[in-house]
Amino acid sequence: MCNPEFTDGVREQVRKLINHTDELRLKYSDVAERHRVGNLGDEAIENLNQVIHLLESDSAAFERLLEKA
């Protein structure tokens, strides 16, 4: 059976996951460049950590959606 709430929830989470994955790639590139030039500070590491946390939140949201399915 088709569950519109589930389908919409999955679509929204996929959209967030794609955005957060893109953001992770950008942050990683920034951290890699800062490391390469010897300018890697706590702020860059914290920014990368925040994006990783977003991806973890996305995974948890998928788990909650699947529990409702």
Side-chain angles (χ1 to χ4, degrees):
M1 294 196 178
C2 185
N3 180 342
E5 183 180 333
F6 175 76
T7 304
D8 291 345
V10 169
R11 282 189 180 125
E12 178 63 17
Q13 276 312 124
V14 168
R15 185 191 65 75
K16 287 179 181 180
L17 181 61
I18 291 168
N19 287 338
H20 295 153
T21 302
D22 289 344
E23 189 174 345
L24 179 60
R25 174 55 59 196
L26 291 172
K27 296 294 183 187
Y28 173 81
S29 296
D30 178 56
V31 166
E33 178 61 18
R34 288 179 184 222
H35 180 266
R36 187 184 71 73
V37 298
N39 189 22
L40 183 59
D42 291 342
E43 181 183 355
I45 298 295
E46 180 58 31
N47 287 338
L48 188 60
N49 186 50
Q50 288 173 353
V51 178
I52 291 168
H53 176 72
L54 291 173
L55 290 171
E56 291 169 339
S57 297
D58 292 340
S59 296
F62 275 114
E63 288 176 350
R64 285 189 299 277
L65 280 169
L66 292 173
E67 287 172 357
K68 293 178 183 178

